């Protein structure tokens, strides 16, 4: 056992190896990405034309809800946890994660959680229908109790998994760095994950609190969120967004880390402003705790509260701007090549910045009264979440795949994947800015005639994006099964870091004697 | 290959910017299919100006940022022989691009603050309207005027199901619009009776969440007569997309006439409460009331939706004589914790009697029982 993996299914069930667990996370998240994507395709097919043609409005709401939940909790978060499992030990010169058995458990909690969630689709009441933000009282008093209960347990399970995963990451980074690797020498991906893990530990219990209060309201006779019993539906929103806003940074910070690894590699130049990158990341994380109510500008807060949350939100633009400028300065006077990981990173940079601009616009409270809950918001967060998180994940996979498998992916196919994703994505979400400003609310199963053209474009783009992710799967499988072998340790000319000092494919156990970092 | 890829990127980016710019600038006279309406209130104009200001600031920063990016990508390509420099920090530059954005933000915060103060200034309104969201209708009460009514989507089901051609105002039309006078400060007191809704009329730049148990204020001073259409903007269940808002702004004299007529109608309806109706009269009236208020959940054919909304056709409550009181009660008072709301305050006793009679006699429920308006009245008073 000591020298290699066990054989068969047991290897995967019992494994405590960070690479195996990393792979499990990555495959799981890809499966969820396809599932969540299938839900999105149903949504876009229904919205292809005005009128109800394919599904009932109830089912449409189940699809938007499940799509959001599956993408956020099933696809993006586990994808980055998988990346962390694979890369953090290799980047800091550690033999494994600090708490390998807990690592196994934190992964294996996820499949049952999502099985439960998916199972609600087949119950009589159907899947949850209150949106991924599941605002009370729609999600409590007016939801099917069975569905709501299963959903709450699923969320608890995911939360437990996330908390364990992040404790493990914190313990690994704090304790297991190779001699000589001071904090200010850690790769940025490690830094961003360290900060993300603290965010997770801080806010997942808040989410757990919110769903526990829901459970009590549904079965325990309390009325936390029920005005008829003296409760307050807005309390739910405050609790939810106290979790939810840091959550969006949990999604994007590791992406920042990935991009900060890749852009220097393909510019053949060290990252510009390393220390300001670290400080910017930490400031974003801290600010994320005091801006939650910008999701609630229209609920009727007092003017002073509204102003406070507006100013705090606008401030986030400063550290975010610093990051974008530093990335560009990294490329300035570099020696740039455009392999697929770089293409995805550049697309990330441009599109994420556009998402950032709409974010600044949204932070302006009086204007947000018009933007809020319209498709403008849908466009904004997909520019951040898809072009931000998902594109950076694609970049990461192409970047490290040769290290993981010892084989090279097909560059021409990968470029096709990039261009179809890029064009499909923009066709889908750029027009949504327009329909949103022109007045189309989000989460609508049907819409007025003046929104028809842009919705049709949007749906076409979505199908293109969707299909191109199947190509992604094909590329990965082709690489694993028969890609050209890369024997070089360093796949990319400009790559730096401990992960590039180990052979390709990365051996099952790396660094049984720690490397020294000068 | 790589060079071509880059050209393509630039082409796409360039055209996206141009498209965005031209589309947003397109129609400066009010409404466009791509941009926020300028609207017809002072607030909506302020908001529009702020929106455009932010947009152009972002465009300017975007041009600079992406300009620097594109420049670097073209100039420092390895394929053109670029050799990497080795600098990796510059305190001066890093401080500059922290401080300058900060100053720009202060520049943005100033107009945003004054605008927000304007939005919040709902004092000294001349007219108060209570707006209540309830799945999936809006109720409007003219405070102090004894006038109130439900406003319900009037787009026919057949259009939604693609059986007939869609009308011009598909999903943006209601049976009774909210009528408001122009040139008066109107305050909206927004609340809900079940889940959270949100009352949004883009041309008035008003969006207020309607929250059960709470009432929040918003206001509008409409400067131009016309019909303004809006939506529910908070996910509120299955018919979220089907609860539009129509505001008809009319000159003050016309508004007063309308109000007087509404009051008279209300008085006549109350007088009808003591009248005795025949089964046929009630059935005809009831069918109408049913399709407006009940069919969204229980369906036109009374069969309901399995697992979500109970069927009325053949339901013991609608056919057994000893369940008559329970039947009246559930329609008048609703059933708490379910989507079945109290219609008692929303629909006149005449219409309630009609719809209950209809439910007991339609779809083969033929009980022959008649519920008179007084029965409903007595039930309400007896509670
Ligand atoms: C091409 C791929 C995608 C398409 C076509 C798509 C489409 C949609 C649509 C139509 C909605 C409904 C918007 C609404 O709530 O009104 C939506 C919501 C959402 N999407 Fe996506 N999406 C895609 C990818 C993703 C990905 C990769 C993520 C992962 C982060 C994601 C996260 C979300 C979230 C969080 C919501 C909000 C759900 C809610 O409102 O409850 N989407 N998406
Ligand atoms: Cu609503």
């Amino acid at each position: 056992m000591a020298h290699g993996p066990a054989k068969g299914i047991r290897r995967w069930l019992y494994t405590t190896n960070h690479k195996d667990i990393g792979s499990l996370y990555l495959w799981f998240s890809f499966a969820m990405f396809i599932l969540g994507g299938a839900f999105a395709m149903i949504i876009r097919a229904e919205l292809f034309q005005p009128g109800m043609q394919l599904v009932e409005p109830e089912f449409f709401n189940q699809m938007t809800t499940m799509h959001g939940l599956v993408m956020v909790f099933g696809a993006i978060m586990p994808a980055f946890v998988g990346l962390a499992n694979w890369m953090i030990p290799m980047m800091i010169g550690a033999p494994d994660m600090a708490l390998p058995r807990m690592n196994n458990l934190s992964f294996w909690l996820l499949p049952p959680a999502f099985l439960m969630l998916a199972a609600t689709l087949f119950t009589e009441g159907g899947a949850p229908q209150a949106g991924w933000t599941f605002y009370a009282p729609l999600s409590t008093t007016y939801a099917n109790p069975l569905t709501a209960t299963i959903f709450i347990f699923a969320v608890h399970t995911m939360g437990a998994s996330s908390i364990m995963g992040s404790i493990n990451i914190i313990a690994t980074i704090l304790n297991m760095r190779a001699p000589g690797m001071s904090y200010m020498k850690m790769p940025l991906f490690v830094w961003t994950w360290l900060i993300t893990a603290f965010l997770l530990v801080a806010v997942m219990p808040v989410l757990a609190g919110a769903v526990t209060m829901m459970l009590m309201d549904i079965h325990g006779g309390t009325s936390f969120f029920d005005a008829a019993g003296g409760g307050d539906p807005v309390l739910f929103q405050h609790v939810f967004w106290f979790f939810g806003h840091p959550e969006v940074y949990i999604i994007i910070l590791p992406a920042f880390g990935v991009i900060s690894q890749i852009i220097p590699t393909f510019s053949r130049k060290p990252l510009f402003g390393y220390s300001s990158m670290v400080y910017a990341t930490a400031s974003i994380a801290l600010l994320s705790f005091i801006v939650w109510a910008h999701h609630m500008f229209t609920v009727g807060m007092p003017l002073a509260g509204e102003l406070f949350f507006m100013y705090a939100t606008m401030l986030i633009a400063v550290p975010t701007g610093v990051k974008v400028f530093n990335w560009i300065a990294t490329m300035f006077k570099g020696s740039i090549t455009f392999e697929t990981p770089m293409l995805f990173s550049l697309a990330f940079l441009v599109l994420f910045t556009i998402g950032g601009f709409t974010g600044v616009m949204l932070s302006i409270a009086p204007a947000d009264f018009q933007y809020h809950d319209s498709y403008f918001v849908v466009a904004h967060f997909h520019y951040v979440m898809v072009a931000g998180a998902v594109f950076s994940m694609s970049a990461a996979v192409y970047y490290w795949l040769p290290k993981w498998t010892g084989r090279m992916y097909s560059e021409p196919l990968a470029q096709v994947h990039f261009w179809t994703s890029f064009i499909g994505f923009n066709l889908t979400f750029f027009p949504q800015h327009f329909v949103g400003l022109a007045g189309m609310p989000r989460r609508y199963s049907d819409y007025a005639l003046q929104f028809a053209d842009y919705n049709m474009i949007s749906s076409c783009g979505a199908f293109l994006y969707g299909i191109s992710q199947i190509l992604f799967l094909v590329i990965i499988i082709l690489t694993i099964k028969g890609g050209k072998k890369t024997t070089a340790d360093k796949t990319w000319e400009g790559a730096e870091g401990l992960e590039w000092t180990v052979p390709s494919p990365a051996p099952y156990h790396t660094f049984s004697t720690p490397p020294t970092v000068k | 290959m790589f060079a071509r890829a880059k050209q393509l990127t630039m082409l796409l980016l360039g055209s996206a910017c141009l498209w965005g710019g031209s589309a947003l600038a397109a129609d400066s006279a009010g409404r466009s299919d791509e941009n926020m309406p300028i609207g017809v209130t002072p607030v909506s104009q302020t908001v529009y100006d702020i929106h455009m200001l932010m947009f152009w600031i972002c465009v300017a920063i975007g041009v600079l940022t992406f300009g620097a990016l594109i420049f670097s990508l073209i100039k420092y390509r390895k394929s053109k022989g670029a050799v990497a420099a080795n600098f990796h920090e510059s305190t001066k530059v890093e401080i500059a691009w922290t401080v300058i954005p900060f100053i720009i933000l202060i520049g943005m915060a100033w107009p945003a603050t004054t605008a927000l103060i304007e939005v919040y200034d709902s004092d000294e309104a001349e007219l108060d309207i209570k707006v209540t969201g309830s799945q999936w209708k809006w109720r409007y009460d003219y405070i102090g005027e004894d006038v109130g009514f439900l406003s319900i989507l009037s787009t026919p089901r057949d259009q939604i199901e693609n059986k007939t051609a869609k009308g011009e105002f598909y999903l943006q039309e209601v049976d009774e619009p909210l009528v408001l006078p122009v040139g008066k400060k109107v305050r909206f007191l927004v609340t809900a009776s079940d889940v959270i809704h949100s009352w949004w009329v883009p041309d008035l730049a008003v969006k207020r969440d309607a929250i059960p148990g709470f009432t929040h204020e918003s206001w509008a001073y409409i400067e131009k007569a016309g019909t303004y259409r809006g939506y529910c903007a908070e996910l509120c269940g299955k018919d979220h997309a089907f609860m539009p808002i129509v505001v008809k702004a009319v000159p003050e004299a016309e508004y007063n006439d309308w109000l007087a007529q509404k009051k008279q109608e209300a008085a006549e309806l109350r007088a009808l409460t003591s009248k005795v109706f025949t089964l046929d009269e009630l059935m005809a009236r009831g069918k109408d009331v049913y399709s407006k208020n009940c069919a969204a959940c229980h369906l036109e054919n009374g069969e309901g939706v399995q697992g979500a909304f109970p069927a009325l056709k053949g339901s013991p409550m609608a056919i057994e004589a000893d369940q008559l009181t329970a039947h009246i009660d559930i329609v008048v008072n609703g059933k708490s914790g379910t989507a079945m709301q109290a219609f008692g305050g929303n629909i006149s006793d005449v219409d309630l009697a009609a719809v209950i009679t209809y439910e007991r006699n339609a779809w083969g429920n033929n009980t022959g029982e008649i519920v008179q308006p007084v029965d409903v009245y007595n039930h309400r008073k007896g509670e």
Side-chain angles (χ1 to χ4, degrees):
Chain A
M1 280 293 285
H3 297 288
K7 295 274 175 285
I9 184 80
R10 284 228 210 95
R11 162 172 179 187
W12 301 105
L13 281 177
Y14 300 156
T15 182
T16 58
N17 180 285
H18 75 99
K19 296 189 181 81
D20 283 353
I21 293 176
S23 303
L24 283 173
Y25 267 110
L26 290 174
W27 281 114
F28 175 78
S29 91
F30 195 83
M32 289 297 117
F33 184 55
I34 297 299
L35 180 68
F39 295 152
M41 295 304 115
I42 296 175
I43 300 174
R44 280 310 342 165
E46 177 57 54
L47 295 178
F48 188 74
Q49 281 182 349
M52 299 304 301
Q53 34 270 329
L54 291 173
V55 300
E56 296 293 318
E58 293 92 323
F59 190 71
F60 182 91
N61 290 351
Q62 296 176 26
M63 288 296 103
T64 51
T65 305
M66 292 290 274
H67 165 71
L69 290 168
V70 167
M71 283 302 189
V72 169
F73 295 104
I76 299 209
M77 291 175 64
F80 283 115
V81 179
L83 208 56
N85 264 295
W86 250 103
M87 299 316 299
I88 287 177
M90 277 170 44
M91 286 179 154
I92 63 174
D96 205 318
M97 296 294 280
L99 308 159
R101 293 209 181 272
M102 191 168 85
N103 210 8
N104 174 287
L105 179 60
S106 63
F107 172 76
W108 281 109
L109 283 177
L110 285 181
F114 282 89
L115 269 180
M116 276 196 280
L117 189 60
T120 57
L121 274 168
F122 306 98
T123 62
E124 204 190 350
Q129 318 186 4
W132 84 277
T133 52
F134 51 100
Y135 281 5
L138 188 59
S139 61
T140 52
T141 316
Y142 293 87
N144 179 293
L146 176 66
T147 303
T149 311
I150 299 177
F151 164 72
I152 289 168
F153 280 113
V155 171
H156 268 306
T157 315
M158 292 169 213
S161 159
S162 287
I163 290 176
M164 282 190 238
S166 24
I167 290 177
N168 209 346
I169 288 169
I170 295 173
T172 308
I173 299 175
L174 295 189
N175 296 321
M176 300 187 52
R177 278 165 294 133
M181 181 170 283
S182 64
Y183 285 112
M184 291 315 271
K185 279 191 184 151
M186 292 193 315
L188 255 170
F189 179 70
V190 179
W191 254 118
T192 52
W193 243 118
L194 179 62
I195 293 169
T196 303
F198 276 109
L199 280 181
L200 270 166
V201 174
V203 302
M204 289 314 285
V206 179
L207 177 65
V211 294
T212 307
M213 286 192 264
M214 284 174 64
L215 191 70
M216 293 296 291
D217 271 10
I218 294 169
H219 296 294
T222 57
S223 23
F224 288 106
F225 306 132
D226 179 6
D232 181 353
V234 181
L235 172 68
F236 176 87
Q237 299 185 21
H238 282 293
V239 180
F240 179 85
W241 286 112
F242 192 82
F243 147 80
H245 195 77
E247 167 69 19
V248 306
Y249 293 99
I250 288 165
I251 286 174
I252 204 66
L253 292 185
F256 288 170
V258 168
I259 299 306
S260 303
Q261 303 299 130
I262 294 177
I263 286 185
T265 298
F266 296 96
S267 311
R268 294 170 181 72
K269 200 164 144 273
L271 183 68
F272 186 87
Y274 173 91
S275 43
S276 60
M277 285 301 221
V278 174
Y279 297 135
T281 312
S283 336
I284 293 174
L286 288 177
L287 283 173
S288 75
F289 284 110
I290 56 166
V291 299
W292 75 89
H294 68 210
H295 297 271
M296 304 160 55
F297 280 142
T298 60
V299 299
M301 275 182 289
L303 178 60
E306 205 100 334
L307 285 172
F308 170 80
F309 286 109
M310 175 171 91
Y311 298 144
T313 306
M314 294 171 76
L315 273 185
I316 294 183
V318 175
T320 312
V322 167
K323 302 202 77 114
V324 171
F325 300 140
N326 282 350
W327 285 320
I328 294 176
T330 306
M331 286 181 265
F332 185 74
K333 295 203 170 170
S335 171
I336 305 172
T337 51
F338 298 92
E339 289 88 338
T340 310
M342 183 64 164
L343 288 178
F344 271 107
S345 302
L346 289 172
F348 166 97
L349 188 54
V350 172
L351 302 177
F352 173 79
T353 306
I354 294 175
F357 285 141
T358 50
V360 175
M361 295 173 76
L362 285 163
S363 76
I364 306 296
D368 180 73
F369 277 85
Q370 293 280 54
Y371 308 136
H372 179 70
D373 268 331
S374 77
Y375 258 83
F376 190 76
V377 172
V378 178
H380 158 74
F381 69 66
H382 282 90
Y383 268 76
V384 179
M385 282 202 282
V386 181
V390 180
F391 275 29
S392 83
M393 258 324 284
S394 307
V397 170
Y398 286 118
Y399 185 57
W400 281 305
L401 199 58
K403 179 54 64 187
W404 297 340
T405 60
R407 292 169 186 275
M408 194 62 196
Y409 62 85
S410 154
E411 187 66 41
L413 277 184
Q415 299 224 347
V416 173
H417 171 223
F418 169 74
W419 284 109
T420 49
S421 297
F422 182 82
I423 294 167
F425 169 82
N426 283 294
L427 275 181
T428 313
F429 294 107
F430 204 73
Q432 293 185 0
H433 290 114
F434 298 148
V435 284
L437 290 175
M440 178 164 161
R442 69 194 281 209
R443 299 162 168 182
Y444 261 29
S445 52
D446 196 5
Y447 50 83
L449 300 182
Q450 73 263 34
F451 306 127
D453 295 348
Y454 288 126
N455 269 291
M456 193 176 278
I457 299 176
S458 215
S459 292
C460 293
F463 300 142
L464 178 62
Y465 182 85
I467 290 171
S468 60
Q469 302 323 302
I470 304 298
L471 177 61
F472 189 32
L473 179 65
V474 171
I475 295 172
I476 295 171
I477 291 176
L478 287 181
T479 311
I480 296 173
K481 292 274 176 229
K484 211 164 89 245
K485 286 216 160 68
T486 61
T487 40
D489 300 345
K490 242 167 107 157
T491 312
W492 314 108
E493 189 190 2
E496 299 289 342
L498 289 178
E499 79 264 34
W500 302 108
T501 64
V502 303
S504 304
Y508 198 60
H509 295 289
T510 35
F511 303 122
S512 30
T513 50
T516 314
V517 179
K518 290 184 290 305
Chain B
M1 171 108 217
F2 297 140
R4 222 183 51 235
K6 202 200 54 230
Q7 277 165 4
L8 248 168
T9 319
M10 287 170 46
L11 244 158
L12 251 164
L13 273 176
S15 52
C17 282
L18 279 179
W19 182 29
S22 61
L24 285 162
D27 177 6
S28 57
R31 231 158 297 172
S32 102
D33 279 349
E34 286 84 18
N35 200 1
M36 189 187 283
I38 297 173
V40 290
T41 66
V43 169
S44 73
Q45 276 147 33
T46 312
V47 167
Y48 176 83
D49 290 343
I50 274 212
H51 157 69
M52 290 316 285
L53 176 71
M54 298 302 147
F55 173 74
W56 288 115
I57 294 177
C58 289
V59 168
I61 301 174
V63 167
L64 289 177
T65 314
F66 296 146
L69 173 67
I70 290 166
F71 172 81
S72 305
L73 292 183
I74 296 177
K75 183 103 192 279
Y76 303 112
R77 270 174 301 165
K78 190 174 181 225
S79 57
K80 287 280 135 69
V83 179
N86 201 24
F87 63 89
H88 52 81
E89 57 188 7
S90 157
T91 316
K92 267 192 221 128
V93 174
E94 286 166 64
I95 291 180
W97 63 45
T98 313
V99 174
I100 295 172
F102 191 75
I103 295 171
I104 297 176
L105 284 182
I106 295 178
M108 291 176 159
W110 184 258
T113 306
T114 49
L116 197 60
I117 292 171
E118 190 185 346
V119 171
Y120 265 74
D121 178 22
S122 58
D123 290 350
E124 290 167 34
E126 295 162 88
L127 172 63
D128 284 325
I129 309 278
K130 182 170 166 221
V131 177
T132 311
S134 68
Q135 282 172 329
W136 292 278
K137 324 167 177 59
W138 292 102
R139 181 178 173 84
Y140 301 113
D141 288 292
Y142 290 68
I143 301 216
E145 298 289 1
D146 198 22
V147 168
F149 52 86
L150 286 174
S151 179
I152 305 168
L153 175 74
S154 62
T155 300
R157 219 49 250 158
D158 281 356
Q159 289 188 17
I160 298 173
E161 284 162 7
N162 308 307
K163 289 181 192 140
T164 47
K166 297 186 179 12
E168 186 187 358
F169 294 113
Y170 178 69
L171 297 189
Q172 291 189 295
E173 50 202 346
V174 296
D175 60 346
E176 280 207 68
L178 173 66
V179 178
L180 295 176
V182 295
K184 281 208 163 185
K185 187 164 181 176
V186 184
R187 176 162 45 199
F188 304 107
L189 305 165
V190 184
T191 186
S193 65
D194 40 38
V195 301
I196 302 178
H197 305 266
S198 187
W199 198 77
W200 180 26
V201 182
D203 284 310
L204 312 185
V206 172
K207 185 184 281 150
R208 254 302 167 229
D209 290 3
I211 299 167
F214 295 80
T215 303
H216 291 296
E217 292 180 1
S218 194
W219 66 281
Y221 180 94
I222 303 175
E223 290 175 323
K224 216 169 100 195
T227 302
Y228 308 111
R229 293 166 203 274
Y231 310 88
C232 175
E234 181 67 59
L235 179 58
C236 56
K238 82 177 172 82
D239 281 357
H240 175 43
F242 306 106
M243 59 183 290
I245 297 158
V246 179
V247 175
K248 209 170 131 200
V250 297
E252 195 175 344
E254 200 179 318
Y255 169 75
N256 288 335
D257 290 350
W258 174 85
L259 197 66
Q261 194 203 330
K262 270 286 170 198
K263 282 187 195 164
Q264 196 191 338
E265 273 173 26
E268 279 166 11
L269 201 60
R270 264 195 304 277
L272 278 184
T273 307
S274 46
K275 186 185 153 188
V276 174
F277 287 81
T278 65
L279 180 60
D280 286 345
E281 282 170 333
L282 289 171
M283 285 298 281
R285 192 173 191 120
K287 186 169 173 24
D288 211 38
V289 180
Y290 182 86
S291 66
K292 274 188 191 165
N293 294 284
C294 320
C297 296
H298 298 291
L299 303 195
E300 208 69 67
N301 59 12
E303 282 174 3
V305 178
Q306 241 231 318
F309 307 111
L312 300 175
K313 180 179 176 178
S315 148
M317 192 184 274
I319 49 180
E320 286 168 18
D322 60 353
Q323 295 278 327
L324 179 60
T325 316
H327 188 176
I328 298 179
D329 189 66
I330 198 170
V331 178
V332 170
N333 295 315
K335 185 169 171 193
S336 70
T338 72
M340 181 64 197
Q341 55 190 290
F343 288 97
N346 287 331
I347 302 183
S348 70
D349 291 348
V350 177
D351 284 344
L352 285 174
V355 78
I356 296 168
T357 306
Y358 178 74
E359 287 174 355
R360 299 186 81 78
N361 292 283
W363 325 295
N365 278 2
N366 310 325
T367 60
E369 285 168 346
I370 300 180
V371 176
Q372 294 292 350
V374 273
D375 299 333
V376 178
Y377 177 84
N378 290 338
H379 186 86
R380 278 201 299 116
K381 293 302 155 189
E383 281 303 315

